[in-house]
Amino acid sequence: MGRAEARHTGESAGFPRLYHEQRGKRTDSPFNRRRKSLSARHGSRLPARIDFVPAVIESVAHAVEQARLATRALVEFGTHLFDPTVRLGITGLSRAGKTVFITALVHGLMRGGCFPVFEALGSGRIAGARLSPQPDDAVPRFDYETHARSLLIERRWPDSTRQISELRVIIDYQSQSGATRTLTLDLIDYPGEWLLDLPLLRQSYEDWSAESLTLSREQPRAQLAQAWHSHLATLDPSAPADEQTAMTAARLFTDYLKACRDDRFAMSLLPPGRFLMPGDLAGSPALTFAPLELSGTDPPPDCSLWAMMRRRYDAYKSVVVRPFFREHFARLDRQIVLVDALAALNAGPAAVRDLERALTAILDCFQIGQRTLLSALVRPRVDKILFAATKADHLHHASHDRLEAILRRMTERAAERADFTGAEIDVIALAAVRATREAQVRRNGEMLPSIIGVPAAGESSGRRLFDGETEVAVFPGDLPADPDTVFRRALDKPGGIRTAGRSPGEADLRFLRVRPPALPPADAEAPALPHIRLDRALQFLLGDRLR
Ligand code: GDP
């Protein structure tokens, strides 16, 4: 990563350039065009998938569940008529930026942040926003106060999302016709890893085992799975069940999944989600299983290791996965999916491919209402989904649109693969908190568009170890102007994105973790946090509900 003397430009000092969308001129997005063309082709019914048909007893349970959900939906609908409410889901894989996003969003709403593109706030129609007790007693509260203190006062990033949490914000506003109104905004923060569990509901233990093993034999996963594979080779699935064996297999399998998440590999598709994000289930038997090498699909011998693993896998689906989708996911109205696309681009082609697969799986979750039997239980009512590439402040503004274009292309490809015809989708590159400034930096006689920030204590570049106080200028590299290049490169063998002047194999765009920005002491009570395009995200997600 290049460092050089910084020479500040006019651009560097203040807030980032805001990219105003020309909403008036906007035509249909490719997703919505595709949705319309598919609907026209198939009428309202899309080609059905073949799904597992539940046994009679499950059908009865299913019908009871349906009735319960229908009643809840009616009650919620009635309540929402008098007290309009938006349940906004915030998800993304671990460290995608969920906690920072929610903290910045709530702070911006309550403080009246600098959000010119968020029309209701920009035009002054929002009178105020305040926190209120959340509706779900069984869900932990999002610890806004602690996170805000970390960001604003201690100048360190808050602790990341480990499990689901919720926060209610009441927004008082004036409608465009002048009437005084209130919108209740429920923010639901949950790990994206849990979303990637949905396909398990359709898979038997045997199918899941086979699929997980096939995936673990692809590179770079294979090298990370060596210890688990070696242990697996010693196991006889028909041997008597043994708790210690199951625990060792589950531990080695979990270690492999964790290694895949490491920044160097940045893999995304790693179910079961609770193995990486156990929430309050760490160590429970429902998480003590792993794939086995199975030949044939015969029923497992009684009391065998295979039977034990299968039973736990089924328990995981019924006590963990299904309740999450039923109780939380199915009740969302809007969704933002945060994506650390830069981490995938940094890690190279395999990570880019994997991210695209994960996006396909995520879109499948929002599709389920349309066409599967299973869907009735977990049908989402989400009508808008925003995919957001986070941490755009690690790039010079010249690359913000490029990052957005890459994620857009990735999402389009995922939507095609998922045959997606559901909610309205948009894509954005943002930084919920802008921790850098911009400058032109001279390097080898060339002026390079760079970013300036304070690397966190303990970060290093080459031999230099940073103390958390020193500001450095970094040339972060360019993203390609043509987003398709990323996918063509993803097919080539080595190397992710490379920038001119870098040797092959040298990772460009690798970024140092910088500290949150220093804020003006004059307004220390509640200084506004700088951001990039957070207001555009809010306009897409909430603009129509605040008219
Ligand atoms: P979560 O696991 O999705 O909750 O992720 P967090 O919100 O905790 O973010 C993980 C890390 O990403 C943080 O500790 C920061 O280092 C970094 N990060 C998140 N959002 C931003 C942002 O807007 N700008 C910058 N520069 N870094 C961010």
Side-chain angles (χ1 to χ4, degrees):
M1 195 173 214
R3 261 184 296 115
E5 279 170 49
R7 191 163 62 78
H8 296 215
T9 62
E11 181 73 30
S12 70
F15 276 74
R17 273 189 205 171
L18 289 166
Y19 293 79
H20 294 249
E21 208 172 0
Q22 292 175 301
R23 294 219 152 253
K25 290 190 198 159
R26 216 172 142 200
T27 53
D28 253 356
S29 73
F31 309 103
N32 300 322
R33 280 203 300 274
R34 178 167 172 74
R35 177 176 53 175
K36 284 176 190 161
S37 84
L38 274 174
S39 307
R41 246 188 288 150
H42 301 289
S44 56
R45 279 181 297 153
L46 286 160
R49 278 188 182 169
I50 298 173
D51 281 298
F52 170 70
V53 180
V56 175
I57 195 146
E58 280 195 30
S59 304
V60 174
H62 176 87
V64 172
E65 197 59 51
Q66 273 290 88
R68 205 168 67 79
L69 284 177
T71 312
R72 185 175 67 189
L74 263 180
V75 170
E76 285 185 355
F77 178 72
T79 316
H80 291 186
L81 273 184
F82 297 101
D83 179 12
T85 301
V86 176
R87 284 179 74 83
L88 172 62
I90 295 99
T91 198
L93 297 179
S94 155
R95 305 199 61 76
K98 300 178 288 295
T99 311
V100 174
F101 177 86
I102 297 173
T103 308
L105 181 158
V106 174
H107 180 74
L109 283 177
M110 296 208 300
R111 149 102 182 40
C114 179
F115 290 168
V117 180
F118 182 33
E119 187 273 331
L121 194 58
S123 65
R125 287 194 296 108
I126 291 187
R130 62 207 139 85
L131 299 180
S132 172
Q134 67 195 54
D136 301 299
D137 293 335
V139 179
R141 181 177 182 275
F142 181 85
D143 192 358
Y144 169 73
E145 292 77 6
T146 306
H147 297 327
R149 193 175 333 108
S150 302
L151 261 182
L152 296 154
I153 297 169
E154 297 161 15
R155 219 184 142 198
R156 62 172 185 83
W157 298 106
D159 292 340
S160 299
T161 300
R162 314 287 318 163
Q163 60 170 332
I164 190 163
S165 67
E166 183 174 301
L167 190 69
R168 173 164 277 194
V169 186
I170 309 283
I171 304 172
D172 297 314
Y173 70 102
Q174 202 172 41
S175 72
Q176 283 172 339
S177 61
T180 303
R181 297 259 164 80
T182 295
L183 179 73
T184 301
L185 176 63
D186 286 332
L187 301 165
I188 321 294
D189 172 24
Y190 65 94
E193 284 82 355
W194 298 5
L195 215 47
L196 296 178
D197 272 349
L198 185 78
L200 305 190
L201 291 180
R202 295 192 279 246
Q203 267 181 332
S204 66
Y205 171 71
E206 290 70 24
D207 289 346
W208 170 74
S209 267
E211 195 177 296
S212 303
L213 276 166
T214 306
L215 205 58
S216 73
R217 291 189 174 121
E218 287 178 10
Q219 288 299 352
R221 291 171 182 248
Q223 54 171 308
L224 307 171
Q226 277 172 9
W228 168 50
H229 283 169
S230 308
H231 180 254
L232 192 62
T234 67
L235 299 182
D236 172 6
S238 303
D242 170 57
E243 186 63 46
Q244 289 306 317
T245 309
M247 283 168 67
T248 308
R251 181 175 51 77
L252 291 171
F253 176 59
T254 309
D255 288 349
Y256 146 72
L257 296 177
K258 282 185 182 151
C260 290
R261 268 310 284 158
D262 185 279
D263 275 357
R264 282 169 301 154
F265 307 101
M267 296 279 122
S268 304
L269 198 60
L270 301 163
R274 301 281 173 143
F275 280 49
L276 292 175
M277 281 284 149
D280 51 3
L281 288 174
S284 76
L287 302 195
T288 315
F289 66 91
L292 286 174
E293 188 94 69
L294 301 166
S295 48
T297 52
D298 295 341
D302 285 350
C303 304
S304 63
L305 183 64
W306 178 3
M308 181 198 216
M309 293 287 195
R310 180 201 255 200
R311 199 174 54 248
R312 288 182 174 179
Y313 172 82
D314 288 340
Y316 179 80
K317 292 201 293 185
S318 57
V319 302
V320 178
V321 182
R322 209 178 286 265
F324 164 70
F325 278 93
R326 191 179 54 215
E327 297 299 326
H328 304 294
F329 181 71
R331 294 169 61 207
L332 299 175
D333 301 308
R334 303 264 157 106
Q335 177 69 57
I336 179 164
V337 180
L338 302 175
V339 182
D340 193 347
L342 285 175
L345 292 168
N346 274 335
V352 171
R353 266 199 308 274
D354 211 62
L355 176 57
E356 206 181 305
R357 277 191 274 201
L359 293 178
T360 307
I362 287 174
L363 278 171
D364 248 340
C365 295
F366 293 99
Q367 183 81 334
I368 50 174
Q370 313 280 319
R371 59 185 184 193
T372 70
L373 277 177
L374 157 76
S375 67
L377 261 189
V378 295
R379 174 182 296 134
R381 57 186 186 205
V382 165
D383 60 353
K384 282 187 173 210
I385 308 171
L386 182 62
F387 285 90
T390 52
K391 312 178 195 179
D393 57 328
H394 283 114
L395 296 173
H396 191 267
H397 74 258
S399 282
H400 293 168
D401 283 341
R402 294 181 176 189
L403 178 61
E404 200 166 292
I406 289 170
L407 183 63
R408 188 176 295 281
R409 195 72 196 91
M410 227 180 250
T411 315
E412 278 168 15
R413 285 162 58 112
E416 273 167 28
R417 288 221 306 252
D419 233 2
F420 186 78
T421 57
E424 183 187 351
I425 295 184
D426 207 351
V427 173
I428 194 172
L430 58 75
V433 174
R434 187 185 193 191
T436 63
R437 295 175 290 122
E438 295 188 352
Q440 292 291 329
V441 170
R442 188 180 300 281
R443 192 191 193 204
N444 300 333
E446 201 189 340
M447 295 304 282
L448 296 177
S450 303
I451 56 163
I452 298 174
V454 178
E459 287 285 296
S460 62
S461 171
R463 287 213 204 117
R464 181 157 179 200
L465 187 67
F466 295 104
D467 58 5
E469 302 297 332
T470 315
E471 204 172 56
V472 300
V474 168
F475 172 55
D478 301 317
L479 290 175
D482 174 6
D484 284 326
T485 319
V486 173
F487 304 97
R488 283 199 292 275
R489 280 184 187 162
L491 294 174
D492 293 347
K493 275 278 174 209
I497 304 296
R498 274 201 292 279
T499 323
R502 302 274 172 160
S503 58
E506 185 186 356
D508 274 2
L509 300 168
R510 279 205 189 276
F511 47 80
L512 293 168
R513 255 164 54 90
V514 287
R515 289 183 66 190
L519 299 168
D523 199 8
E525 275 297 296
L529 280 163
H531 64 88
I532 297 171
R533 302 181 186 181
L534 181 57
D535 50 349
R536 213 185 91 191
L538 284 175
Q539 180 62 22
F540 176 78
L541 292 167
L542 299 177
D544 60 328
R545 304 302 295 269
L546 289 163
R547 288 218 182 105

